[in-house]
Amino acid sequence: MREKISKLWKKRLNTEPEFNEQSNTEVIELKKQDISTSYDQNLATFKTLFTVPDNIDVKVREFTITSLKRKGVIIFLSTMADIQAIMDSIVEPLIDNEHPSKKIPDIVSYPIASTASNIGEITEYITAGITALFVEGDDQCYLFETTKISGRSIEKSDNEVIVKGAKEAFNERVIDNISLIRKKIKNENLLVETKPISKRSRNNVFIVYQKDLVNEELLQTIKDKLESFEIDSILDLSILEQILEERPRSIFPTLLYTERPDRAAAFIEEGHIILLMENSPGCLILPATFWALFHSPEDHYLRTPYGNFIRILRILALFVAVFTSPIYIAITNFHVGMIPPDLLMAIAGTRERVPFPSIVEVLMMEIAFELIREAGLRVPSPIGPTIGIVGALILGQAAVQANIISPIVIIVIALSGLSSFIISDLSMNFAIRITRFLFIFSAGFMGIYGVTALLIAGLYYLVSLKSFGTPYFAPMTPHSFSSKDLLIRHVPMKEKFRPGYLKPKDMVKQRKG
């Protein structure tokens, strides 16, 4: 008996609480039905669903179709539809046309997008900005693509700034974003599929890929992952990114987010898959590797020597950003013999009146630098740069004069902080900044040995990461066939192959050269 009670108690503890949906079950059942041939019944049904007239932006316009001598009604959202086009191309022809006709498409001048009969499906179309026309006696509804939503125009990228190359960036309108990609890839094999991913907000995700390149197994894996969601609302692509990741608590990102259509197009032509969403000014690139996150789109726009020079600087900046502060702490605390005597005396002289150990100094200034950095981002743009520069100068100078911080620590923090700005990807930038703090603590406890141990453990961890089955350091490890665009890139004529780890249908992207 005790064992049974124990098992029941464990099962109760391990089971999530069940909450029954409080929505109107009658409405849910109603949406599963088809519309009726009765005009009055259909009108009453949709007025009830959209709470008319309390719902002020839902417009219901009743009229008589002159040529058919039957009643008709259109339902649309005034905040999401082109009202002028509805009046000129749909309503007026239906009212004014007196020539005998039996078909709605022959009367209206606006193209009919499709027809539907399911009540729930029609409701979703209307909430997306589509106009629905109901005709007395018809058992189907006519749908017109009249969506017109205000939004930003196509502007420059704010986060991925480049000097040479295209300046266009994605905006919040998914139609504009798809057109920007199609403008760069004029190919009939470029497919755009859509899948609903949330039940209540009814947001769709758009899957963009090239049919003759993409690996079918990878594509099916991504589709299965998207279909497996049981979520009421996903409002933005950044939230979808966290749900899609295999390790959402990992410091290092495994998906690439970009707001540049030229970069998205380049990945599509290599066999990658792109995800877009309405209201999201960017796209997700699947799968992503460490090298994709580390590279910048400008690397390919510049001539090969210039692009490689920037990449070498970026690699150097990566090591400076991560290891400068930890090595300073390790040497001053544990490995004083590694410093030349003259430099050692100079450091000792500057730290003579400082009451704190070097790890406390570094942590204080690192946190202060991060505070200034975030403050500069959050305040209005005309003031932001001023706060960053003036705040750093005043804080550093005051800290040195107050004998709280030694001058060499200011140099170390400034050098590592500035180096972190060179990493262009936002997620990778955060990963580097957080990793720096981990190395600072390891150096403070065990010196160079702690830094080395954490570095080895970190490499083991990074190698274990995967992005939809793709190893994080591919094609370097495990080694696979590719154009070898990793640390440095070759001249464009030598980049003949697509990444082998994607297993694209066509490996060769350049036949001659």
Side-chain angles (χ1 to χ4, degrees):
M1 187 68 180
R2 288 182 180 178
E3 291 180 1
K4 286 184 178 180
I5 294 172
S6 177
K7 286 180 180 178
L8 287 171
W9 183 247
K10 286 180 181 178
K11 187 177 179 182
R12 191 174 178 182
L13 286 174
N14 295 329
T15 305
E16 292 184 0
E18 294 183 2
F19 298 100
N20 294 322
E21 189 173 356
Q22 300 297 318
S23 301
N24 192 342
T25 54
E26 293 181 3
V27 173
I28 295 173
E29 290 300 320
L30 180 63
K31 287 182 179 180
K32 296 178 182 179
Q33 301 174 13
D34 290 340
I35 61 172
S36 168
T37 54
S38 170
Y39 171 83
D40 294 328
Q41 183 178 336
N42 291 335
L43 183 60
T45 297
F46 282 90
K47 278 188 173 181
T48 302
L49 286 174
F50 284 98
T51 322
V52 177
D54 295 338
N55 208 347
I56 60 170
D57 68 336
V58 179
K59 303 301 179 185
V60 178
R61 172 73 188 274
E62 297 183 68
F63 50 84
T64 300
I65 303 173
T66 307
S67 58
L68 299 179
K69 298 189 181 340
R70 286 190 283 172
K71 290 189 289 186
V73 61
I74 58 169
I75 303 176
F76 61 93
L77 297 180
S78 61
T79 49
M80 295 183 68
D82 188 346
I83 300 175
Q84 192 64 41
I86 294 171
M87 294 296 109
D88 295 344
S89 303
I90 300 174
V91 177
E92 287 185 9
L94 290 171
I95 296 174
D96 298 339
N97 188 2
E98 297 180 355
H99 296 288
S101 176
K102 295 182 179 180
K103 294 182 179 179
I104 294 296
D106 298 335
I107 303 174
V108 296
S109 58
Y110 204 93
I112 295 176
S114 61
T115 58
S117 57
N118 179 261
I119 293 175
E121 186 179 349
I122 296 169
T123 304
E124 291 182 16
Y125 279 122
I126 295 173
T127 54
I130 290 173
T131 299
L133 168 64
F134 299 88
V135 179
E136 183 182 12
D138 284 4
D139 60 353
Q140 62 180 359
C141 165
Y142 301 94
L143 303 168
F144 300 87
E145 184 69 59
T146 56
T147 306
K148 185 181 180 182
I149 305 172
S150 301
R152 280 193 309 145
S153 60
I154 297 170
E155 301 171 357
K156 290 184 178 181
S157 173
D158 292 328
N159 298 320
E160 297 174 86
V161 181
I162 64 173
V163 178
K164 188 176 183 179
K167 301 297 189 291
E168 295 173 330
F170 289 128
N171 61 20
E172 285 77 11
R173 288 168 54 89
V174 74
I175 297 173
D176 291 346
N177 298 342
I178 294 171
S179 68
L180 287 171
I181 294 175
R182 284 203 177 273
K183 187 172 74 170
K184 299 181 185 302
I185 305 177
K186 300 178 178 68
N187 192 319
E188 70 279 3
N189 289 306
L190 182 66
L191 299 188
V192 182
E193 297 184 19
T194 180
K195 281 190 177 295
I197 55 167
S198 55
K199 294 187 294 184
R200 288 190 179 274
S201 59
R202 295 171 186 159
N203 288 320
N204 292 333
V205 61
F206 295 83
I207 309 169
V208 187
Y209 61 93
Q210 274 201 246
K211 182 177 64 175
D212 58 340
L213 290 179
V214 73
N215 180 271
E216 295 292 342
E217 187 178 345
L218 172 64
L219 178 62
Q220 192 58 47
T221 301
I222 292 172
K223 287 182 178 180
D224 292 343
K225 182 79 171 179
L226 292 171
E227 288 175 355
S228 66
F229 294 155
E230 293 275 341
I231 300 175
D232 278 356
S233 175
I234 299 177
L235 298 178
D236 192 84
L237 206 60
S238 300
I239 300 172
L240 179 63
E241 177 185 2
Q242 299 173 58
I243 298 171
L244 280 174
E245 283 185 312
E246 293 179 11
R247 298 187 186 180
R249 294 181 179 86
S250 172
I251 295 176
F252 286 85
T254 52
L255 301 181
L256 175 56
Y257 179 92
T258 181
E259 57 186 30
R260 296 187 59 85
D262 56 337
R263 196 177 188 190
F267 277 101
I268 290 174
E269 291 189 324
E270 287 189 342
H272 290 262
I273 296 169
I274 304 299
L275 300 185
L276 296 167
M277 273 186 70
E278 193 74 59
N279 305 318
S280 296
C283 74
L284 285 180
I285 297 170
L286 314 176
T289 63
F290 174 83
W291 313 108
L293 292 156
F294 185 72
H295 294 165
S296 168
E298 195 172 22
D299 296 349
H300 287 270
Y301 290 130
L302 295 172
R303 294 180 67 245
T304 305
Y306 310 154
N308 285 333
F309 174 70
I310 290 179
R311 279 199 182 175
I312 293 168
L313 278 181
R314 198 177 297 127
I315 294 167
L316 180 63
L318 173 66
F319 283 95
V320 170
V322 174
F323 294 110
T324 303
S325 298
I327 287 176
Y328 170 78
I329 294 170
I331 290 176
T332 54
N333 284 4
F334 298 93
H335 314 286
V336 181
M338 296 176 64
I339 309 174
D342 293 339
L343 180 59
L344 178 61
M345 294 301 295
I347 293 173
T350 58
R351 297 198 71 253
E352 186 178 359
R353 296 184 179 181
V354 176
F356 304 111
S358 57
I359 186 173
V360 175
E361 278 187 275
V362 169
L363 282 174
M364 286 171 59
M365 290 309 298
E366 286 281 5
I367 293 170
F369 188 91
E370 294 295 333
L371 289 172
I372 294 170
R373 181 174 183 167
E374 289 301 311
L377 289 173
R378 307 300 171 213
V379 297
S381 54
I383 311 172
T386 307
I387 286 180
I389 297 169
V390 174
L393 287 174
I394 293 174
L395 185 66
Q397 184 66 25
V400 171
Q401 289 182 350
N403 292 325
I404 297 174
I405 304 295
S406 59
I408 194 168
V409 170
I410 301 293
I411 298 171
V412 168
I413 300 302
L415 191 61
S416 62
L418 290 173
S419 297
S420 66
F421 282 102
I422 299 179
I423 312 299
S424 59
D425 185 81
L426 183 64
S427 297
M428 182 59 74
N429 191 286
F430 270 109
I432 298 303
R433 288 157 62 185
I434 295 171
T435 303
R436 182 167 66 229
F437 281 97
L438 297 179
F439 276 103
I440 286 172
F441 284 113
S442 65
F445 287 111
M446 296 179 65
I448 292 292
Y449 302 107
V451 173
T452 306
L454 183 60
L455 176 62
I456 294 171
L459 288 174
Y460 271 104
Y461 172 74
L462 289 174
V463 170
S464 71
L465 291 177
K466 288 187 177 181
S467 176
F468 286 92
T470 301
Y472 203 50
F473 278 110
M476 177 180 283
T477 176
H479 179 72
S480 59
F481 206 67
S482 72
S483 61
K484 299 179 181 178
D485 182 16
L486 300 177
L487 296 177
I488 61 172
R489 73 175 183 87
H490 298 288
V491 291
M493 295 75 73
K494 296 294 183 182
E495 295 181 357
K496 298 181 180 181
F497 304 103
R498 293 185 173 88
Y501 55 82
L502 292 174
K503 299 178 183 177
K505 292 177 181 176
D506 184 8
M507 271 294 299
V508 182
K509 66 178 179 180
Q510 190 174 170
R511 304 292 173 182
K512 296 180 181 180

